[in-house]
Amino acid sequence: QVQLVESGGGLVQPGGSLRLPCVVSGGSFGSYAMGWFRQAPGEEREFVASISTHGSYRYYADSVRGRFTISRDDTKNTLYLQMFSLKPEDTAVYYCAAKSGATTANRGAYEYWGQGTQVTVSS
């Protein structure tokens, strides 16, 4: 059974930084395209970033491009989301997700999901 576990969330001031790891177990991490999504209260879950197998391709939502970086370490079965210049509107529960095949921003295409980690940006 594939399990994804996010961590690294917390309270940070505007302009601050956080790094979210997502550890994957029970599957073949290197064969999965991976994505980060987020969901704010009362909102739908939205795409943040995705990365292909081997890290060859990376895609970002317009709202985070230039501030967030997605990466993966296949030797550690871990996906990362490095977040800089955080804004209050980045406040949400952040989820990692995995899928076979090509990377995509379509959340419905992802097969496996973590439980989420809360990120709150506030002074």
Side-chain angles (χ1 to χ4, degrees):
Q1 183 176 356
V2 180
Q3 292 189 320
L4 289 71
V5 180
E6 308 95 334
S7 61
L11 174 64
V12 62
Q13 292 188 341
S17 302
L18 279 177
R19 188 175 80 153
L20 307 182
C22 169
V23 179
V24 180
S25 61
S28 179
F29 179 76
S31 70
Y32 295 135
M34 301 294 299
W36 285 100
F37 294 78
R38 67 185 182 186
Q39 188 167 18
E43 303 288 335
E44 290 193 354
R45 194 169 300 187
E46 66 174 6
F47 170 75
V48 175
S50 65
I51 187 168
S52 64
T53 55
H54 309 298
S56 303
Y57 301 98
R58 309 180 194 205
Y59 301 97
Y60 297 92
D62 290 343
S63 59
V64 307
R65 187 176 293 111
R67 299 188 298 120
F68 291 10
T69 301
I70 188 171
S71 62
R72 63 190 296 158
D73 185 341
D74 289 359
T75 67
K76 297 181 179 179
N77 290 353
T78 302
L79 175 74
Y80 299 99
L81 185 68
Q82 178 69 58
M83 305 185 291
F84 297 103
S85 302
L86 283 160
K87 305 175 181 180
E89 51 264 44
D90 295 318
T91 296
V93 178
Y94 283 71
Y95 299 87
C96 66
K99 68 179 296 292
S100 302
T103 183
T104 177
N106 177 9
R107 70 176 187 262
Y110 285 81
E111 303 163 65
Y112 307 105
W113 290 85
Q115 83 291 343
T117 186
Q118 176 71 47
V119 172
T120 302
V121 184
S122 174
S123 55

